[in-house]
Amino acid sequence: MIYLVEDDNSIRELVIYTLQTTGLQAKGFACAKDFWEEMKMELPELVLLDIMLPDEDGLTILKKLREAAQTSRLPVMMLTAKGTEYDKVVGLDSGADDYLPKPFGMMELVARIRALLRRAEPEKKTGGYQVGPICVDLNKHSVQVNGEPVALTFKEFELLCFLMDNEGIVLTRDQLLSKIWGYDFDGETRTVDVHIRTLRQKLGPASCYIETIRGVGYKMEEIG
């Protein structure tokens, strides 16, 4: 089930119709109040959020979703008329997994939604990773630093796992975009930088294990 919070009736109805005709279950809400009421009944697989809403803006909704344990890794895509680079960075920096400015094509929206849903599927690999004080348990989908739990969004979790799985290897921004986002992200490598920054903030004292390779990308490596 996909939830869309959008106060424009025509956009909301078109998006819901498109999702349903492409085999995706979806519900639309004109305001945050209705959305939160439905969240008490059923948690969705993915949320589409407009920023400008009549009662509670999309960034506030996003912040609440990320702070709650049940929805901290719930895939969220921002759909908004605000399309400047600054607005995109603010949305992604606040924990959004993708950002699609209006007007947008319905087929592009569906493609991005399917990519997000694929990324959100449970890991098939068992076991985990450890680099320095960072421990990842793939079975429990959990991360610890020095034995303390670290709450990550699912995109941050995927990014960390990919870096740890390729320990010592320099990964370009394009490689990270292709692997973690699952499609061509229009060269918006800034998205990778934003997620690396928030990941480092959450890793705290272990952030130094993610090394920036100037002009290329990133790598994770034990500090000898």
Side-chain angles (χ1 to χ4, degrees), residues 100-150:
L100 191 58
K102 302 172 184 175
F104 49 80
M106 288 297 110
M107 291 304 100
E108 179 182 6
L109 173 63
V110 171
R112 291 191 179 213
I113 287 173
R114 292 194 185 281
L116 278 179
L117 291 174
R118 284 196 300 272
R119 294 294 116 192
E121 290 176 355
E123 286 282 339
K124 293 182 177 63
K125 182 174 180 178
T126 59
Y129 304 104
Q130 179 163 1
V131 175
I134 308 169
C135 295
V136 172
D137 187 321
L138 293 173
N139 295 317
K140 296 180 180 178
H141 208 79
S142 64
V143 178
Q144 291 187 339
V145 173
N146 292 320
E148 295 296 320
V150 177

Side-chain angles (χ1 to χ4, degrees), residues 29-65:
F29 308 94
C31 63
K33 179 179 179 295
D34 293 342
F35 167 74
W36 289 120
E37 285 298 318
E38 190 67 22
M39 287 289 287
K40 296 176 185 177
M41 307 295 293
E42 179 187 8
L43 290 180
E45 298 174 85
L46 182 145
V47 173
L48 304 174
L49 276 180
D50 187 23
I51 287 184
M52 304 302 291
L53 294 167
D55 53 348
E56 184 176 32
D57 68 86
L59 290 176
T60 301
I61 295 175
L62 176 61
K63 184 173 184 292
K64 290 181 179 180
L65 290 172

Side-chain angles (χ1 to χ4, degrees), residues 191-202:
T191 303
V192 173
D193 298 331
V194 168
H195 279 78
I196 288 287
R197 185 171 74 226
T198 58
L199 179 57
R200 280 173 167 160
Q201 289 172 349
K202 292 181 179 182

Side-chain angles (χ1 to χ4, degrees), residues 4 6 11 14-15 48-52 76-89 91-92 96-110 112 183-186 188 191:
L4 164 66
E6 166 64 66
I11 294 176
L14 177 58
V15 170
L48 304 174
L49 276 180
D50 187 23
I51 287 184
M52 304 302 291
V76 176
M77 183 190 300
M78 307 303 290
L79 304 178
T80 175
K82 293 188 173 183
T84 66
E85 181 181 5
Y86 173 77
D87 292 316
K88 291 181 182 181
V89 171
L92 294 168
D97 299 294
D98 203 350
Y99 192 112
L100 191 58
K102 302 172 184 175
F104 49 80
M106 288 297 110
M107 291 304 100
E108 179 182 6
L109 173 63
V110 171
R112 291 191 179 213
Y183 59 90
D184 183 3
F185 207 72
D186 300 326
E188 293 182 4
T191 303

Side-chain angles (χ1 to χ4, degrees), residues 131-134 167 205-211 220-224:
V131 175
I134 308 169
E167 182 184 349
S207 62
C208 56
Y209 285 83
I210 300 177
E211 182 181 352
M220 176 164 277
E221 193 165 28
E222 284 277 6
I223 299 175

